[in-house]
Amino acid sequence: MAHRSNTSAANRIWRTIANHVATGLAVVSTILVVAPLVAIFVYLIYKGASSLNFAFFTQAPKPVGEAGGGMANSILGSAILLAVGSAIGVPIGIAGGIFLAEFGRGGRLANTIRFTADVLNGVPSIVMGIAVYSLIVLPQKHFSALSGGVALGIMMIPTITRTTEEMLLMVPHAIREAALGLGVPNWRSVLAITLKTASPGIITGCMLAFARVAGETAPLLFTAFGNQFWSANLNEPIAALPLQIFIYAISPYDEWHRLAWAGALVLIALIVVAVSLVRYVASRGILKGAN
Amino acid sequence: MGVGIQVTDLNAWYGANHALLGINMNIPANHVTALIGPSGCGKSTFVRCLNRMHETNATARVSGEVRIGDVDIYAEASPVEIRRRVGMVFQRPNPFPTMSIYDNVASGLRLNGFRNKGVLDEVVERSLQSSALWDEVKDDLHKKSGASLSGGQQQRLCIARALAVDPEVLLMDEPASALDPVSTAKIEDLIFQLKSQYTIVIVTHNMQQAARVAETTGFFLMGKLVEFDSTHKIFTNPTDKRTEDYITGRFG
């Protein structure tokens, strides 16, 4: 007995130490993950906040040499590009995910689509820009907001498709059986029950895709092209925040550098606002205690 | 009102696995019929063949005839039509997690395109009363998710959901095996009350449960129906030696 209690005393100390070490490692990892994000945000505020003023959100850029001006046209342009991109990427992406998880499971077509989506996810964004350039811009013989939106939309598809598939597959088989057992046709059960049950995860996937393309510059270079003036026409070149930041950042003017910092800050802030807004609206439609 | 079920020479396969071998059974209307037997004996497969639920498994195949009322369910109806007439309650309570209590009960009608609010309200109340859950949830119908109820309440919610589409037959696949004794007793009381309106087929691992709730009992072993008789006869004076061995606890 004495021997046993000795061992357990030593064991207890060892377990306490191991426990503290494991917790400590988890805390350090968390800090390492979050620190760059915080650092970026703080640095952007430090560099950019001072250039933010009313004009920034209401005016188009002024020519070089003239003081003032803003990025309002770029904010509008990014909103339009992202709206077009989401209108293309979200429905096609979700429909693709539904096919992979519910109808094509294990089939040859599904495997091909899944493989293609994974490859598409790895295609450099500049290549996507060139592809849309030759598909839309060249035949039309002009740059346009539409082509930029299409490029962003195509980039959203693989992320949304794969998350939708994963989320649908996580819905328990028992839930599907419950719906089928009530005499609900399969397609209706998929749309009204499985998809709805998986919707929080699917919305997260859409938001990830959205946030990713919101900051893309490369695919817009040959498509949306950028615009120093106000435009909301889908058939004309359009300004976009990342493009404007890019142009200002590589310019030789201090004033433009400051505006570029401010633009970067606004871009990140708008992404955070858009994502939070969608999450809030979506969570109101879903009951508490559901999980 | 319930209808009887006639099963003639029913065989079922999952891929190459011959799960049911030549089952003949005459299930009486407005009775409770219990199916007992060791795990893997085919009793769950058998009830799933009664509403064509086994077809959700792509490798499943059947031969033979199942008549529910006067309809041959494999020759004369689609799975969707059959499942509206034959409700099912599963082993684990499976309320729709994103729906309120009310929406869970109304789901069967709504998903089949039924929208009349007045009638839905009435059906939801009647179904929850039939499943003895109404008094416990009537104040939270729209506030609480089906998933926020206790396990026993969830199972009664699933029964209410099945009753709401007004089936003639109710299949229950081990409906109380995941529940505590108090909830089990409630479910058994419920089965007793429901049999005046529905034909009930219940799969159970619990032989006392079969003895308590069922008038007729079938004993399955390795895909075959060994004995099918009144519950009293099965538990006091079985004809087949294997039935006797099973109910006296010599195996299984």
Side-chain angles (χ1 to χ4, degrees):
Chain A
M1 282 315 270
H3 173 72
R4 206 166 120 197
S5 69
N6 273 343
T7 325
S8 72
N11 257 341
R12 213 174 302 136
I13 294 167
W14 166 239
R15 279 185 210 153
T16 313
I17 294 171
N19 187 23
H20 285 310
V21 169
T23 313
L25 284 175
V27 170
V28 169
S29 316
T30 312
I31 293 172
L32 283 177
V33 170
V34 177
L37 188 72
V38 176
I40 290 173
F41 212 70
V42 168
Y43 195 64
L44 279 178
I45 292 173
Y46 165 69
K47 291 286 240 180
S50 57
S51 305
L52 285 181
N53 50 31
F54 187 66
F56 186 91
F57 294 101
T58 52
Q59 294 180 12
K62 290 263 164 71
V64 189
E66 248 179 84
M71 289 197 185
N73 64 330
S74 304
I75 296 173
L76 174 73
S78 270
I80 290 173
L81 287 168
L82 286 167
V84 174
S86 301
I88 294 167
V90 171
I92 297 181
I94 291 180
I98 292 175
F99 177 77
L100 291 185
E102 301 289 336
F103 298 108
R105 212 182 288 182
R108 224 189 140 115
L109 181 61
N111 288 336
T112 314
I113 293 176
R114 193 177 295 111
F115 179 74
T116 315
D118 288 342
V119 173
L120 194 62
N121 217 355
V123 170
S125 54
I126 188 98
V127 176
M128 199 68 77
I130 296 171
V132 175
Y133 175 79
S134 28
L135 285 174
I136 299 181
V137 178
L138 278 185
Q140 284 202 315
K141 298 198 170 61
H142 61 81
F143 297 108
S144 66
L146 181 70
S147 61
V150 170
L152 297 186
I154 295 176
M155 291 189 65
M156 290 174 82
I157 292 174
T159 316
I160 297 178
T161 296
R162 296 292 268 131
T163 0
T164 302
E165 182 193 7
E166 300 289 328
M167 293 301 141
L168 287 175
L169 290 178
M170 274 169 60
V171 173
H173 191 60
I175 303 276
R176 299 158 202 267
E177 287 203 324
L180 295 176
L182 289 169
V184 177
N186 192 36
W187 64 270
R188 195 145 196 169
S189 150
V190 167
L191 291 183
I193 304 293
T194 321
L195 196 64
K196 196 172 169 200
T197 309
S199 60
I202 294 174
I203 290 168
T204 303
C206 292
M207 288 295 96
L208 274 175
F210 177 88
R212 187 189 150 200
V213 300
E216 281 291 351
T217 317
L220 300 179
L221 288 172
F222 313 110
T223 53
F225 191 69
N227 192 333
Q228 296 298 307
F229 307 99
W230 285 99
S231 169
N233 188 337
L234 286 183
N235 252 327
E236 280 174 15
I238 198 166
L241 267 177
L243 278 178
Q244 200 67 20
I245 294 167
F246 175 68
I247 293 164
Y248 277 13
I250 59 171
S251 77
Y253 315 109
D254 277 348
E255 167 73 11
W256 280 20
H257 288 170
R258 278 194 294 278
L259 280 172
W261 283 110
L265 175 61
V266 169
L267 178 61
I268 289 193
L270 286 179
I271 292 173
V272 171
V273 168
V275 170
S276 320
L277 205 68
V278 170
R279 274 187 182 283
Y280 173 72
V281 172
S283 72
R284 285 176 41 140
I286 293 158
L287 278 162
K288 297 275 177 298
N291 282 309
Chain B
M1 284 303 282
V3 293
I5 304 171
Q6 285 85 43
V7 179
T8 313
D9 198 25
L10 182 72
N11 286 272
W13 295 264
Y14 287 118
N17 173 24
H18 199 164
L20 288 175
L21 293 86
I23 309 292
N24 290 288
M25 197 189 275
N26 201 338
I27 298 170
N30 295 96
H31 268 59
V32 180
T33 300
L35 306 177
I36 59 170
S39 295
C41 67
K43 56 193 191 305
S44 283
T45 304
F46 177 76
V47 289
R48 294 172 77 86
C49 288
L50 299 184
N51 68 345
R52 299 182 64 173
M53 223 33 209
H54 66 289
E55 289 173 17
T56 57
N57 181 326
T59 66
R61 249 172 349 108
V62 295
S63 75
E65 191 185 81
V66 176
R67 295 190 85 84
I68 293 185
D70 47 12
V71 177
D72 179 339
I73 66 164
Y74 287 100
E76 297 167 16
S78 72
V80 168
E81 288 162 345
I82 283 307
R83 291 171 196 155
R84 285 179 200 169
R85 296 182 58 195
V86 182
M88 191 162 201
V89 176
F90 300 85
Q91 181 173 7
R92 296 208 147 268
N94 53 0
F96 299 127
T98 56
M99 290 188 193
S100 68
I101 294 168
Y102 181 100
D103 292 343
N104 260 285
V105 181
S107 58
L109 289 174
R110 279 208 185 127
L111 291 172
N112 286 317
F114 196 84
R115 290 271 177 276
N116 184 327
K117 175 106 174 36
V119 179
L120 280 179
D121 285 352
E122 213 173 284
V123 168
V124 167
E125 176 168 353
R126 178 160 28 92
S127 305
L128 284 169
Q129 259 161 357
S130 302
S131 73
L133 189 60
W134 176 252
D135 291 335
E136 294 160 58
V137 301
K138 62 175 180 239
D139 299 324
D140 303 315
L141 287 180
H142 295 279
K143 271 182 275 173
K144 277 195 183 167
S145 149
S148 68
L149 300 174
S150 75
Q153 288 174 325
Q154 286 188 20
Q155 195 60 302
R156 278 179 285 148
L157 177 64
C158 292
I159 294 173
R161 180 177 65 188
L163 297 182
V165 292
D166 198 23
E168 293 147 293
V169 177
L170 201 54
L171 306 175
M172 304 178 115
D173 190 356
E174 298 183 43
S177 67
L179 306 180
D180 66 274
V182 175
S183 302
T184 302
K186 282 189 184 160
I187 301 276
E188 287 179 9
D189 284 346
L190 190 53
I191 293 171
F192 205 75
Q193 287 161 25
L194 290 174
K195 73 177 177 192
S196 62
Q197 296 169 62
Y198 307 93
T199 303
I200 297 175
V201 182
I202 174 172
V203 170
T204 178
H205 265 296
N206 181 332
M207 282 181 275
Q208 285 78 22
Q209 185 170 62
R212 283 193 297 263
V213 301
E215 288 106 329
T216 317
T217 297
F219 171 59
F220 279 80
L221 189 63
M222 295 166 77
K224 288 185 183 140
L225 180 62
V226 173
E227 194 164 350
F228 183 66
D229 213 325
S230 80
T231 303
H232 184 73
K233 174 109 182 352
I234 294 268
F235 281 99
T236 55
N237 185 22
T239 311
D240 196 290
K241 179 80 170 60
R242 290 166 295 176
T243 314
E244 188 181 342
D245 286 349
Y246 183 71
I247 60 162
T248 52
R250 244 165 268 167
F251 76 93

